[in-house]
Amino acid sequence: MPDTSRPDDAFGARALRERVLRAWGESPARFREDANAEEDHALGGYRDRLVIELAQNAADAALRAGVPGHLRLTLRTSSQGTVLTAANTGAPLDAAGVEALSTLRASAKRDETRTAGRFGVGFAAVVAVTDAPAIASAPPSGPAGVEWSLPRARELVEAVPGLAAELERRGGHVPLLRLPFAMEEPPEIPSGFDTAARLPLRDEAVASVRRQLDQVGAVLMLALPALERVDVDVDGDARTVTADHRRPDEVVIDGSVWRTVEAHGEIPAALLADRPVEERGRPFWQVRWALPDDGLPEGTPSVLHAPTPSDERLDFEALLIASFPLAPDRRHVAPGSLTDFLADQAADAYVRLLSEPPVSPAVLRHVPGPVGAGELDARIRRGIRERLPEAPLLPHRMRGRDALAVDAPAAFIEVLGGEDAVVGGLLPPEWPARSPALAALGVRRVELADVIDELAAVDRGPAWWHRVYEALAGAATDALGALPVPLVGSGADEAPSGGTAGRVVRGPRGLLIADGVDPAGLDALGLRFVHPEAVHPLLVRLGAVEAGPRAVLADAAVRAAVEESFEADDPDAVAEAVLGLVAAAHVDPGEEPWLAELALPGDDGDLYPAGELLLPESPLRAIMAEDAPFGVVSGELVDRWGAGTLAAAGVLDGFALAKAEDVNLTGLADEAETLDLDDEDLWADDVLRRIGPQDLPPLVPEFTAVRDLELVDDWAAALRVLAGPPWRAAIVDPAHVTLHNGRRVAVPSYTAWWLSRHPVLDGRRPGEFRLGGDESLAGLYDPAPEGPDERLLLALGVRTSLTELLDEPGGAQELLDRLADPERPVARAQLGRLWTALADVPEAVVEPPDHVRAVVDGDVEVVDAQDALVLDSPDVLPLLQGQPLIIAAQGRDGRLGELLDLPRAGDEIPGAVESEGEKRPVPDAVRAVLPEAPADYLAHERLVVDGQDVLWWTRDGQIHASSVKGLARALAWSSGHWGDRLLLEAVLREPESLPALLAEDDLEP
């Protein structure tokens, strides 16, 4: 009870001091406990909490008085030091309050459920900043105050027996707040306020207090809702923070709107079993979330407020003020079932906080992620995320578990979910489908490709599909491959734009978009045309084809219809449709060879492939054999479409042309591929032999050939046709083969090759004739017949020269065979050139002949090969009277003997020199013609070899001669200059005429 005998001691401060001092005197341990407790609170749980604790006391005073809370914090600096004054409205200080302030761990508010203070130790925060705190109030009995003084308290403790030693150990520190003193002259309380606290600050505490004053703002007002105004004045720099509680769920602080939600109730007794008595005496809980419209103010501590800031990290966009149980350090939440209970209440309240405002995608910013900043944060997040799928946070107050988000362009989502919605529960486009927050709400995200796949079951008209394509115009095409497309047909053309189209297929690739063609006339071809009302450029990007007549004709369905036209229910309808496309596309004959399979009626009423029908005026009717499998096209068809269109469709006016690209010669030769040409494999074999082995199969990039040559009966007429376009090019232009190294090689075309192998010129093969010019082939080949022009004859294989003949594969063998034919005349001068040319063919391969054309004593005869010899030296001629000889230019005897498998003449005679010769020097004049001539020779009066007189001999390695003529020939042959023998003879006969002879020789061509 207060000491009423002293008017200045209205709060009973003296009695409190005496009681404390008596207790300390009786039990020094109590002194130590009080000193330690105050020190722990001041330096531990309540450090840096001065301003917050002053504000909390002000809020509690306002609540007790039922008045708006108003706190003024004034900091003044002078030469005497820095003083903080805190004035507040509300219930004035009373004796019970003073006792609570001076009694650690004993709150005077334990029966007041609405107050913020719960433990009775918050005022201990003043000990961290001042040695002389004072509080004055204006109760009804008049102004009164209480103060504390560290020097006075130390003086009183020193007078207590038994405490001196302890005081010395503590360095003179005493529990300041345990010893209050009544103020003899209470300070004047500012007008409009009921209580004022005066705190002279220690120098080292000034910076901390200034910092705390700078932090006064919205967070403080939200943590202490009883406060409606806080004034802060730091040495004249004043500001005011106000809180306007417009509605229970909204407060405006300094113009910023905060949405709040609160929950409270009584704590189940079981949850308080392990809590201190003071807490069990206040079995109430409270949770409050505050969410700013403009985001948390900069510098807002991300911590739990209980209700003052703790050290428990919370990483939310909202503030949580809740009555969590705190550990003794007053900084952290005490673990246990009560904390878990309040975490669940906080989770419930947070979900309600998100649910109350109007539905907006902005709510996604406040959906917490799965990773917490600490254990409590994680516990609350987990509770929130468990509840979110059931929360009505989405449009039309839809729950997340019932919603669907499509990752697609906004326009597409609007089409799917608009007035004519085809997808239920679809979120509007402003809700980002890939937001992790949506996943936390339980929203099922569907990829664009999956939605596209499900659209095949949607029953909508072509115009609706056009809207879909327009909405998807900017989307990535990789997800649109299965996009449904309505087609023309099955009554679709008569369907209204909002109604059902005809057939709908998946995927635009390969579909046709009509461009200058009427799809209705092409039903028989099984073509898939996009409905005109659904046509959109997106379909082209996805593989649909803008199809004019030519593009439609190239469609696989048209080719299939042509191939199956004989089995069609209505072949005439197929023919009508195809011929219409051919006419509109202006196709050239042979350009689309597959059209030759189209079933068309002949003049006999039967169906034929177009490629087996002739136009009525076709010259082939007179050219082809009677058994050729050709009919004549129906006259009605000619009248309907004209000869040009029918020819383009494969009906034959002239020969059919086969065209192909990248023809694989190896595949053709192995019959693994076919062009349906007569002997095509043999042609390919011949080409492969010409170009030699290759690492990769050679290709003919552009192949053109004339068909049906094997069916020709009148070749004279046929050649007249083939000599004109377009067939002529297939004969006279070579085929070009591309090799693996990129090189291109020209080879005879298939058509030229085929014609060259068959009797197409006067009943004989073209290769049996020659053109004029090279007389080396005279007699061996007949002159080409009149009619075909020279270029055509050349392409057919008519011989032009000996060189061309020998360059061809098999040409050497052909020449050898013709030389062995006694019916073919060959002149003596011509024969030597032929044998020389044959010997000069590199790598020629021939079969050894049975007969050869040889020279017998100057005459040309065809003889048995076994009787012939190859002349290897002219000095043996006198020994070979009557012997058939194969004679070629000097130096060819070895190659010719090997090629023909015949012996050389010199190897078949003994060659013994039977006469004696006199060694003589070779005249010097000879060296003007033959610088390499030997120094001497053996001169014979009569040179005898094998019993036969000869003019010269060199086969034994020496020069033998019996005359000037013989010496000239011996020197020319042995030196390899046989052509100079006559000049040498002239020099030897008239050495003095050497200059003139050399001059004459210079004139030789």
Side-chain angles (χ1 to χ4, degrees), residues 949-999:
D949 288 343
V950 297
L951 294 178
W952 59 283
W953 191 260
T954 60
R955 295 189 62 83
D956 60 357
Q958 300 187 72
I959 305 297
H960 300 269
S962 62
S963 65
V964 171
K965 179 180 179 180
L967 178 59
R969 282 160 175 74
L971 291 173
W973 184 260
S974 62
S975 300
H977 294 278
W978 184 244
D980 291 333
R981 63 190 183 277
L982 298 180
L983 175 60
L984 284 172
E985 182 180 351
V987 169
L988 287 172
R989 291 187 186 279
E990 298 181 32
E992 67 281 4
S993 301
L994 178 61
L997 293 172
L998 292 177

Side-chain angles (χ1 to χ4, degrees), residues 309-608:
S310 70
D311 286 349
E312 292 287 353
R313 287 285 309 282
L314 293 181
D315 193 10
F316 286 86
E317 291 292 322
L319 291 179
L320 174 60
I321 303 105
S323 57
F324 277 89
L326 297 179
D329 64 0
R330 303 294 183 252
R331 294 278 180 164
H332 296 88
V333 170
S337 55
L338 178 56
T339 293
D340 293 341
F341 169 79
L342 289 174
D344 286 338
Q345 303 307 317
D348 286 337
Y350 189 84
V351 172
R352 188 151 53 88
L353 177 71
L354 300 186
S355 303
E356 289 183 353
V359 173
S360 164
V363 73
L364 300 179
R365 292 189 294 109
H366 306 303
V367 173
V371 180
E375 184 176 351
L376 179 63
D377 187 293
R379 175 69 178 81
I380 296 174
R381 284 170 182 273
R382 187 163 55 250
I384 293 171
R385 290 172 68 89
E386 289 172 354
R387 292 161 173 77
L388 284 178
E390 298 293 334
L393 303 178
L394 301 176
H396 312 296
R397 287 301 174 185
M398 184 168 45
R399 299 179 303 176
R401 60 179 296 179
D402 301 325
L404 186 71
V406 177
D407 186 15
F412 178 63
I413 297 175
E414 291 174 353
V415 172
L416 297 184
E419 296 179 0
D420 193 18
V422 297
V423 178
L426 183 63
L427 289 178
E430 58 267 22
W431 294 77
R434 291 194 172 273
S435 169
L438 276 186
L441 294 179
V443 175
R444 181 167 67 95
R445 189 182 79 203
V446 181
E447 298 297 334
L448 177 58
D450 296 328
V451 176
I452 293 299
D453 193 54
E454 294 178 6
L455 284 182
V458 172
D459 183 12
R460 292 292 186 273
W464 184 86
W465 286 107
H466 184 274
R467 289 175 56 209
V468 169
Y469 307 148
E470 178 64 27
L472 291 172
T477 57
D478 54 355
L480 306 180
L483 186 65
V485 182
L487 303 181
V488 169
S490 304
D493 294 330
E494 290 75 32
S497 60
T500 302
R503 188 161 54 104
V504 174
V505 297
R506 293 177 185 266
R509 183 165 298 281
L511 299 182
L512 303 178
I513 297 175
D515 181 13
V517 295
D518 180 10
L522 304 174
D523 288 345
L525 302 181
L527 293 166
R528 302 188 304 167
F529 278 95
V530 178
H531 195 285
E533 293 184 24
V535 169
H536 190 277
L538 174 64
L539 300 180
V540 178
R541 287 174 53 208
L542 295 175
V545 179
E546 291 180 311
R550 186 171 289 272
V552 174
L553 193 63
D555 189 270
V558 176
R559 181 170 295 203
V562 168
E563 292 174 352
E564 300 169 4
S565 57
F566 279 91
E567 290 76 33
D569 293 337
D570 189 354
D572 290 341
V574 174
E576 181 77 8
V578 172
L579 291 174
L581 289 173
V582 171
H586 305 292
V587 176
D588 293 328
E591 184 178 355
E592 302 291 346
W594 53 273
L595 289 170
E597 299 182 39
L598 178 64
L600 295 177
D603 60 0
D604 56 4
D606 293 337
L607 289 177
Y608 292 81

